[in-house]
Amino acid sequence: VKRVDPPLAMHFENEKIDYDLFAVPWINCLLLRAFPLELVWRLYDTYFAEGDISKFHPYVCVAFLTAFGDKLKQMSFQE
């Protein structure tokens, strides 16, 4: 996130938002609990097409964060 969206990374630091709060569950369950099943199936299809899920999945997670970065930067930790 620091490389792709430094202001978002700084916002997380300022708000004391630890990536472990959301990133570890995202990594462990491959987003299955975070998104609707229809979306997850499409993601999994892409993961299998890519071949190496462990290298591609973190980029997907960062893409979600940066896609909603403007909104996230306006939110506090509690939100």
Side-chain angles (χ1 to χ4, degrees):
V1 175
K2 284 183 182 180
R3 275 194 277 166
V4 178
D5 193 343
L8 180 59
M10 182 61 69
H11 174 70
F12 283 173
E13 282 184 35
N14 292 340
E15 291 291 324
K16 309 282 191 268
I17 298 171
D18 189 8
Y19 289 99
D20 290 346
L21 293 172
F22 58 87
V24 170
W26 282 7
I27 299 293
N28 286 342
C29 71
L30 295 174
L31 299 171
L32 187 59
R33 295 182 182 174
F35 296 104
L37 188 58
E38 295 80 17
L39 174 62
V40 173
W41 286 127
R42 291 188 68 159
L43 285 171
Y44 285 10
D45 186 48
T46 304
Y47 288 172
F48 293 128
E50 281 295 316
D52 190 350
I53 294 170
S54 67
K55 291 183 180 173
F56 187 66
H57 183 62
Y59 289 101
V60 171
C61 294
V62 170
F64 278 118
L65 289 174
T66 58
F68 296 100
D70 290 338
K71 185 173 181 175
L72 290 170
K73 287 177 222 172
Q74 297 172 6
M75 300 169 81
S76 70
F77 175 80
Q78 295 302 323
E79 295 173 296

